Amino acid sequence: MSLARRAARPPAAAQHADPARTLAFLADLSQAFAVSLDLRKTLPEALNRVADFMQAEGASLFLLEPATRVLECRICVGPVDMTGVRLAIGQGVVGLAVADNATQLVADAANDPRVWRAGDEGSGFVTKSLLCAPLATAAGPIGAIELVNRRDGQPFGAEDAEMLRLIAAPTALAINNARMANDLVEQQRMKREFDLARKLQKSLLPKRRRGLFPVLGVNLPAHEISGDFYDYFELADGRIGFVIGDISGKGLDAALLMIRAASLLRWAGKDGIAPGAWLARANDELCETTHDGRFVCALVGYCDRDANAVQIAGAGFPPVLTYKRGAFSEYASGGPPLGIMAGIAYEQHEIALNGGALYAFSDGATDVRNADGSRLGSDGVRTLIARHATQAPDARLRGLLSDLKHLKLVDDTTLLLIEKPRAHGAQVLLEHHMPARAEHLREMRNALRKLLDQLGIEPALRDRLVLAVDEACTNIIRHAYGAEGHGGIGLRVSRADDVLSFELTDDAPCVDPTRMKPKPLGECRAGGLGIALIDTVMDTWHVEPASSKCGNRLILRKRIEDKGFS
Amino acid sequence: MSGIESENVDGAVLIRLSGEVDLSWSQQVRHAVLAALESNPVVGVELSQVSYIDSSGIAALVEGFQTARARGSRFALVSVSDAVRAVLELARLDRVFLIVADRAAMLG
């Protein structure tokens, strides 16, 4: 009886009724998907194998477009080409499989209301039986796989349905993996483009001028790329032109417009024309090409090298603040932003700064949020400026930025400071003299530790600095003076901006600097560790002959970050 | 208050250093360490009271470490103060020495 039944079974069912064959087929299918992430290659081949294994006349694969939520037939094997057919979710057997996330079995297609019949029309093909399984993922179905007509003429059965469900699982997984891989590639491409835009932007910011210069700028992007920019340049007549700007909008196209606007504004100001005319020229030029609703807020101007007289003109830029002897003045922009309407005249201001400071800041500064969520506003910025007013320009801008950073940045923030430059020479903080003998090292360390504490340098860094200077003195005692030598060591600590210098002077015979080489740290040996420690702790160090005919000067330098000083 | 004290503990020697170890007396530390290793299979240097150590002090410890290794003796740094640990880390020697929490651990 059982033999007779088995013999009577149609060959299609026999194919996958054998568990060993089924497992082998599923393994082959998974492996075929694993070989390549290129679905255009793997999917048609896989679908052919599925149709053969299931002994179906035709097979098709529908994928759900994430954006439109429409199912589209991407691949099809068999007598009727369904490729490109589009179905709504819920439409036809395929649409139902996705809508219900459940396998659909149609034994008698001619009399089943679920069947969407347009496929048969005009093709001469008769759909007799259908089987469709959703491509299920954790995030819901992403499509469906459909079989048409068993080759033996029998309707699809429950066993076939179970088999197709098993096949759909690795297929869904493969498609999902390939999509995620594609997303990753796309993200990487976008990151590369952003990196490029950021590099371009950075390259446009002017190099900081050495020596005395009246213009100082700083830019703090809220995101990876900035819509803000600043620029300054010297004219042939000795004046200095400056620009600060802010592009409306965010993202890559704002960044690209910024690059264009920055170049354009520099070009328009190179001739030294009056600031109002400068803006008008840049505006006309921008209006010819900028039509996508974006615009540029900018402030341009000139000052002399002592920043006594300043001329400015603004285009939709926040008011400029001047701070002179404790009092603020405000100068509003003389016209609308650039790039909106051609032919506009911009009003300009002549400001006698005479020792005061002029601050121009993009609206990022006033848009900064206070702890309670309110905007910092112009008054808030005034408070910050007054708080840092006594500091040197560099330190002041850093202080302002650090205050703004503590508040929440919602926009790019750019500051431009114009002020008569003053010589901020190195300030001597400590002079200490000691006999070049080991028993005096401790006094030196105590004096140095006390000074560093007064400067508010955090203890870990303080201890490292003390160690490095102590090692330098030890070296002078042991190697420069040697066993018989006697003399003194002078230590002078000075500070220029954020750099601490430790200068050690001796009267010993000149040392050969090439012999002072740091040994690699971590090597377990007794000698040569001192210089390696100095080298690790300090940013730079070097030895030079002292001014007299003998003697050496060893100079150690360390830049102290903002947080290093209290 | 810099100083060296030695103490015999169950057949081992514990050298207790205190204060600021620098060039002015690191040679004494070196001699004490080498002398202890001369006649003891286990030597520890207790550093909890050391508030400063320079490279000459570290060098004395390195020499102790090397001598002990050559003899197959045990050489440990015992309850290392933060100041000493910071310098060992800076010199990247913190993983070279056997560093133990207390004298019981020193005995192994």
Side-chain angles (χ1 to χ4, degrees):
Chain A
M1 176 67 190
S2 68
L3 270 176
R5 260 188 70 179
R6 198 170 289 169
R9 279 182 86 117
Q15 271 274 358
H16 52 265
D18 176 357
R21 285 199 54 138
T22 301
L23 277 176
F25 174 72
L26 284 174
D28 281 354
L29 192 65
S30 300
Q31 198 179 7
F33 283 132
V35 167
S36 167
L37 282 170
D38 187 355
L39 294 178
R40 283 167 306 182
K41 262 179 17 202
T42 53
L43 275 182
E45 197 193 315
L47 201 64
N48 259 316
R49 291 164 75 162
V50 169
D52 281 345
F53 181 75
M54 297 294 293
Q55 290 291 297
E57 286 185 0
S60 50
L61 186 116
F62 283 76
L63 287 182
L64 188 62
E65 290 295 322
T68 58
R69 308 291 294 159
V70 168
L71 288 155
E72 185 179 331
C73 180
R74 294 299 190 78
I75 302 156
C76 187
V77 296
V80 182
D81 186 10
M82 304 266 289
T83 313
V85 167
R86 291 162 71 83
L87 296 170
I89 294 177
Q91 187 184 7
V93 172
V94 172
L96 277 173
V98 170
D100 299 347
N101 198 11
T103 304
Q104 305 290 318
L105 173 62
V106 176
D108 177 14
N111 295 306
D112 199 305
R114 288 175 290 175
V115 178
W116 180 76
R117 261 167 253 283
D120 285 4
E121 281 166 18
S123 68
F125 182 79
V126 180
T127 303
K128 287 175 268 180
S129 177
L130 283 172
L131 181 57
C132 182
L135 297 169
T137 70
I142 55 169
I145 186 163
E146 186 186 42
L147 301 180
V148 186
N149 294 356
R150 262 168 62 154
R151 289 179 190 171
D152 62 1
Q154 299 289 316
F156 288 110
E159 256 180 32
D160 298 306
E162 181 56 18
M163 191 59 224
L164 188 62
R165 197 180 63 81
L166 289 177
I167 290 171
T171 310
L173 195 68
I175 293 169
N176 221 23
N177 282 347
R179 282 187 170 171
M180 284 193 288
N182 275 334
D183 285 353
L184 207 63
V185 168
E186 177 67 5
Q187 279 169 17
Q188 279 168 345
R189 188 185 61 78
M190 280 180 67
K191 188 177 176 303
R192 273 200 303 277
E193 284 180 3
F194 270 75
D195 284 348
L196 188 66
R198 188 169 55 222
K199 271 187 202 142
L200 253 169
Q201 286 193 317
K202 275 199 160 173
S203 73
L204 282 175
L205 294 179
K207 290 235 160 43
R208 268 200 64 172
R209 300 296 197 276
R210 292 187 177 279
L212 300 180
F213 196 76
V215 184
L216 203 61
V218 65
N219 167 239
L220 187 67
H223 304 284
E224 280 204 333
I225 53 177
S226 174
D228 282 9
F229 60 97
Y230 66 87
D231 194 7
Y232 41 75
F233 47 85
E234 286 109 324
L235 295 176
D237 61 12
R239 285 184 302 161
I240 291 150
F242 53 86
V243 177
I244 174 169
D246 181 356
I247 306 296
S248 66
K250 301 268 171 286
L252 201 55
D253 42 352
L256 293 174
L257 177 58
M258 175 239 136
I259 290 166
R260 212 175 100 65
S263 329
L264 192 58
L265 279 162
R266 175 176 266 246
W267 162 79
K270 277 288 184 186
D271 299 341
I273 56 172
W278 177 357
L279 283 180
R281 184 192 273 189
N283 180 46
D284 291 349
E285 199 65 36
L286 268 175
C287 282
E288 279 187 23
T289 48
T290 310
H291 303 291
D292 57 357
R294 293 191 179 278
F295 52 86
V296 180
C297 298
L299 177 101
V300 301
Y302 303 102
C303 65
D304 58 282
R305 287 205 81 93
D306 283 340
N308 285 324
V310 182
Q311 282 183 302
I312 56 162
F317 202 77
V320 162
L321 282 175
T322 63
Y323 185 73
K324 212 156 103 183
R325 289 185 284 278
F328 284 99
S329 305
E330 212 173 278
Y331 299 87
S333 261
L338 308 175
I340 294 174
M341 191 168 76
I344 289 174
Y346 288 88
E347 201 186 309
Q348 61 191 49
H349 298 284
E350 314 274 336
I351 302 169
L353 206 52
N354 296 326
L358 181 147
Y359 296 86
F361 41 85
S362 65
D363 58 4
T366 45
D367 277 348
V368 162
R369 302 287 157 162
N370 287 312
D372 61 4
S374 62
R375 281 173 76 248
L376 182 63
S378 172
D379 285 350
V381 173
R382 287 181 184 211
T383 311
L384 292 185
I385 289 172
R387 182 187 299 167
H388 296 281
T390 55
Q391 289 177 292
D394 252 328
R396 201 180 324 147
L397 278 193
R398 274 201 312 277
L400 281 170
L401 267 195
S402 139
D403 283 355
L404 291 172
K405 258 193 257 185
H406 281 121
L407 302 164
K408 200 170 171 235
L409 271 184
V410 295
D411 200 355
D412 305 324
T413 301
T414 305
L415 297 167
L416 202 65
L417 168 62
I418 294 159
E419 187 179 85
K420 180 188 168 86
R422 291 172 188 86
H424 291 276
Q427 184 191 357
V428 176
L429 304 169
L430 175 71
E431 301 241 36
H432 182 89
H433 293 273
M434 60 182 264
R437 288 201 305 274
E439 59 267 36
H440 295 282
L441 285 169
R442 191 177 170 166
E443 282 162 49
M444 182 281 298
R445 290 198 300 269
N446 286 342
L448 184 57
R449 209 176 276 130
K450 190 173 151 200
L451 168 74
L452 296 175
D453 277 339
Q454 281 167 358
L455 291 174
I457 289 170
E458 48 115 1
L461 178 58
R462 173 202 66 197
D463 289 351
R464 288 201 298 276
L465 292 171
V466 169
L467 176 69
V469 173
D470 183 70
E471 294 295 348
C473 293
T474 297
N475 245 293
I476 292 167
I477 295 168
R478 287 169 79 173
H479 302 301
Y481 283 111
E484 278 83 46
H486 52 84
I489 298 174
L491 167 66
R492 176 207 288 250
V493 183
S494 60
R495 174 182 176 181
D497 279 328
D498 54 355
V499 177
L500 283 182
S501 298
F502 307 84
E503 218 179 338
L504 291 155
T505 323
D506 61 50
D507 315 313
C510 284
V511 300
D512 176 6
T514 60
R515 293 186 55 195
M516 297 180 65
K517 284 269 165 25
K519 312 275 190 306
L521 285 169
E523 259 182 31
C524 193
R525 57 184 191 195
L529 186 55
I531 293 186
L533 290 174
I534 294 171
D535 203 65
T536 305
V537 171
M538 295 295 176
D539 294 336
T540 62
W541 62 273
H542 71 276
V543 178
E544 57 190 34
S547 40
S548 51
K549 52 182 181 278
C550 72
N552 306 283
R553 186 178 296 121
L554 173 60
I555 298 159
L556 319 172
R557 290 214 170 89
K558 179 75 176 173
R559 181 177 295 276
I560 308 295
E561 306 290 341
D562 279 341
K563 59 182 187 292
F565 289 119
S566 66
Chain B
M1 287 309 293
S2 299
I4 309 180
E5 284 171 38
S6 279
E7 186 189 342
N8 288 302
V9 191
D10 301 328
V13 170
L14 185 65
I15 299 167
R16 192 176 289 122
L17 303 182
S18 58
E20 303 189 12
V21 183
D22 69 3
L23 187 63
S24 63
W25 62 288
S26 52
Q27 280 301 308
Q28 295 171 45
V29 175
R30 177 174 174 267
H31 289 311
V33 167
L34 295 180
L37 280 165
E38 198 71 37
S39 47
N40 291 281
V42 179
V43 171
V45 182
E46 212 267 11
L47 295 159
S48 69
Q49 297 305 310
V50 174
S51 58
Y52 179 80
I53 189 163
D54 75 354
S55 67
S56 70
I58 297 287
L61 300 177
V62 167
E63 229 182 308
F65 168 81
Q66 288 168 331
T67 306
R69 197 168 52 173
R71 287 166 184 257
S73 311
R74 183 174 168 87
F75 181 76
L77 306 186
V78 183
S79 51
V80 172
S81 69
D82 289 347
V84 174
R85 190 176 290 275
V87 178
L88 287 175
E89 281 170 7
L90 197 61
R92 312 234 181 95
L93 291 170
D94 49 325
R95 283 165 194 223
V96 171
F97 288 105
L98 171 63
I99 298 177
V100 299
D102 52 36
R103 61 163 76 176
M106 168 192 96
L107 296 171

